[in-house]
Amino acid sequence: MGHAHVWGRNGAVSEPASEFLPASIAVPWVAVAEFLQLNPVVCCAGVCHWNWQILDDTADDLMDIDNLGTIHTFSGSLDESWFYLVTTAIEAKCARGLSAILDATAAVERDDMSQVTRSLHQIAYALGEANIILERMYERCDPYVFYWKIREFLAGWENMEEAGLPYGVLYEGVDDTDTFSLDNWNSLFRRFRKYAGGSAAQTPLLQALDIALGIKHFPTGERGPQSSVAEARNKLRAQGVPEPPTVNSYLVQMRDYMPGGHRRFLEDLAATCRIREYVLLECSDSLLHMGTASDPRVLLRQAYNGCVDLIKTFRDKHIMIVSRYIIAPAKNGPMSPQRVAVPESSKLMPPVAYMQAMAKQTSRLQSGGRMGGDSLSADPTMYPQTNIAATLKSSEQPVSKCPMQNMLAANTRPKSVTVQVVSEAQDVGRLARKLEDGAVARGTGGTDAIQFLKQVRNETAQTRI
């Protein structure tokens, strides 16, 4: 409700984003956020971790993405629902990777090399599944619909001057704002809050994998201390301490958007996990060139590098998604009707897995069930589907039904989709707007999306041993 009020409280395109959040929304929102120990703003936990339901509780794989649906969306569209569920499914499938991290951490303390290697293979398996699921983003989420119709609701109010929120948002009724007159701007300015919006950086999964594998990230635009594998190993032998901890302030800041328990888990993991240090000390330079394939130390190094390579591949795919879903629509502008080619699912999944998935969907629809990503609840009395943005605007104008909803009955999505466009005059002072040459495309978290993601990807690749 808060984001619907700020970004979409009025259907009139000329009306800017709202800098004031009414007390009826702000007070309970802040109270709940304090209880959950996270910031009062849309975050990954809110739209992905706590916003799903199982469509068929008799399915063989309950957490398969085709068996998941959302509870709440802003737009009521399949595209928005699918966008959330891709992250939900990745988190569910990679849970085994977190267990493997803990097993590997304990094995390092026991000097159990074979168990460390086995745990790294389990982490790699989970990362392989994550890569496959991430590629499925293209199946049911159209880039035009995401950028121009959905993305704005996920944005926060930090670094959003160009979108009409230079000072952030004032949470009325909070921080003694009700005791100050609106004319007393100096006092009010100090009470405006700036929060980043929903971001993939807020998932504890990727940060846990970075910590476990010793992947270091530095402030955007800066390079951390560069050292060879031999130098890093010699430093460990001489000092007996790990390398400096992660110092990318944005990634550390994103932990404030995680539930308190997740944040403390990452802090404890960073204080105890020494997998990379163990591999560095066990695998000498000569072993990198002379070790036999059956040498346990060679297998350990290969398993470690395999995990790093899979995270790098995952981040490559993420950059491609950002380019297609943010950069390209922003450059094309809203006046350009786009026919968006959707990759064939059979090219994103192994043939057998694709045929099995299609058979499950066909069977579910024939029996009165629904496709994965359906945002309509399986039990309307228990999980009523709430179109938040439409609810706030229903008294002002009818809400047009998204054409993507009609695809559920046909159990397919067209090869391309033409979406109704809006006037270029509508993008003035909004997050979803056409970007001129050289302009920065900011993510919903407020960062220069491509620069940040490329640096994180490159730092991952440099971690190989």
Side-chain angles (χ1 to χ4, degrees):
M1 293 180 66
H3 282 250
H5 179 88
V6 171
W7 295 112
R9 63 180 179 139
N10 195 302
V13 176
S14 59
E15 185 170 356
S18 173
E19 295 179 296
F20 299 92
L21 199 60
S24 57
I25 296 176
V27 173
W29 194 5
V30 170
V32 172
E34 289 178 350
F35 177 80
L36 297 172
Q37 301 174 26
L38 44 67
N39 289 330
V41 71
V42 158
C43 58
C44 185
V47 296
C48 299
H49 299 166
W50 301 329
N51 189 33
W52 58 273
Q53 59 180 310
I54 293 173
L55 300 180
D56 180 5
D57 57 9
T58 64
D60 294 335
D61 184 355
L62 294 179
M63 296 305 297
D64 185 278
I65 189 172
D66 291 309
N67 192 43
L68 299 177
T70 52
I71 300 173
H72 301 295
T73 62
F74 288 100
S75 64
S77 67
L78 173 63
D79 303 74
E80 183 182 356
S81 181
W82 189 254
F83 179 77
Y84 300 154
L85 291 175
V86 167
T87 299
T88 302
I90 289 174
E91 297 278 335
K93 293 296 183 180
C94 284
R96 73 188 70 185
L98 295 178
S99 298
I101 288 173
L102 298 180
D103 292 340
T105 301
V108 167
E109 296 296 323
R110 301 192 307 268
D111 193 18
D112 187 344
M113 186 180 299
S114 60
Q115 179 59 55
V116 175
T117 303
R118 285 194 297 270
S119 296
L120 288 171
H121 283 306
Q122 291 171 353
I123 295 172
Y125 183 85
L127 285 167
E129 287 193 302
N131 274 279
I132 292 175
I133 296 172
L134 185 62
E135 284 185 330
R136 297 191 64 185
M137 177 67 74
Y138 305 104
E139 289 183 23
R140 300 173 199 169
C141 184
D142 185 274
Y144 186 96
V145 175
F146 171 77
Y147 184 79
W148 293 103
K149 305 296 183 181
I150 299 170
R151 179 173 173 262
E152 189 166 54
F153 290 113
L154 302 177
W157 17 96
E158 183 174 37
N159 296 328
M160 289 295 167
E161 292 83 358
E162 296 175 353
L165 297 175
Y167 309 110
V169 169
L170 183 71
Y171 287 56
E172 296 180 351
V174 182
D175 300 328
D176 297 326
T177 55
D178 55 341
T179 64
F180 288 87
S181 167
L182 291 179
D183 296 330
N184 192 347
W185 286 108
N186 289 332
S187 297
L188 282 175
F189 282 158
R190 292 196 296 269
R191 287 164 174 76
F192 274 75
R193 296 187 178 206
K194 289 188 176 183
Y195 295 125
S199 168
Q202 295 164 1
T203 169
L205 175 65
L206 288 177
Q207 291 214 28
L209 289 166
D210 280 341
I211 292 171
L213 298 174
I215 300 173
K216 309 297 182 184
H217 298 297
F218 302 93
T220 305
E222 299 181 14
R223 297 185 65 186
Q226 302 297 308
S227 61
S228 66
V229 171
E231 290 172 338
R233 183 182 298 108
N234 292 335
K235 181 178 180 181
L236 283 171
R237 287 171 176 165
Q239 300 181 8
V241 295
E243 296 179 55
T246 301
V247 293
N248 186 296
S249 58
Y250 177 74
L251 288 174
V252 174
Q253 177 191 357
M254 288 301 99
R255 296 182 186 180
D256 292 334
Y257 298 81
M258 302 177 187
H262 293 178
R263 183 166 58 251
R264 289 188 292 274
F265 171 79
L266 294 178
E267 293 169 355
D268 290 344
L269 186 65
T272 58
C273 189
R274 297 291 179 264
I275 296 175
R276 175 174 171 78
E277 289 78 11
Y278 182 77
V279 178
L280 279 170
L281 292 174
E282 292 294 335
C283 301
S284 64
D285 284 333
S286 60
L287 184 64
L288 304 184
H289 307 287
M290 301 175 58
T292 62
S294 60
D295 191 315
R297 295 170 296 172
V298 172
L299 298 177
L300 172 66
R301 171 179 164 269
Q302 290 175 345
Y304 174 85
N305 284 340
C307 291
V308 173
D309 290 341
L310 284 167
I311 295 181
K312 190 261 184 184
T313 300
F314 185 89
R315 286 173 165 150
D316 281 331
K317 297 180 190 298
H318 190 191
I319 291 173
M320 292 174 63
I321 288 175
V322 170
S323 298
R324 183 168 184 176
Y325 282 77
I326 298 178
I327 306 301
K331 289 184 176 180
N332 291 331
M335 289 298 290
S336 304
Q338 300 174 344
R339 298 192 63 81
V340 183
V342 180
E344 293 282 357
S345 298
S346 58
K347 295 179 181 179
L348 300 178
M349 303 173 63
V352 175
Y354 171 71
M355 295 304 295
Q356 291 175 344
M358 292 305 297
K360 285 192 298 183
Q361 288 187 10
T362 302
S363 174
R364 184 175 298 129
L365 285 173
Q366 289 175 347
S367 62
R370 292 171 287 118
M371 290 174 62
D374 189 351
S375 60
L376 299 175
S377 68
D379 182 356
T381 63
M382 207 167 173
Y383 299 105
Q385 168 62 14
T386 303
N387 184 334
I388 302 175
T391 299
L392 291 182
K393 293 190 284 187
S394 59
S395 62
E396 303 169 16
Q397 61 179 25
V399 179
S400 60
K401 190 172 183 179
C402 177
M404 306 305 166
Q405 293 283 29
N406 298 328
M407 298 172 191
L408 290 174
N411 191 27
T412 185
R413 184 161 193 156
K415 296 294 187 298
S416 61
V417 180
T418 301
V419 184
Q420 181 181 2
V421 300
V422 296
S423 168
E424 285 192 5
Q426 297 180 8
D427 65 358
V428 178
R430 304 190 71 85
L431 180 65
R433 62 187 184 279
K434 183 176 180 179
L435 295 181
E436 302 299 331
D437 293 340
V440 174
R442 296 197 179 277
T444 49
T447 62
D448 181 336
I450 291 298
Q451 181 187 17
F452 169 75
L453 292 174
K454 284 185 176 180
Q455 177 171 323
V456 168
R457 185 270 315 274
N458 293 339
E459 290 166 344
T460 301
Q462 294 167 1
T463 307
R464 295 184 91 257
I465 295 177

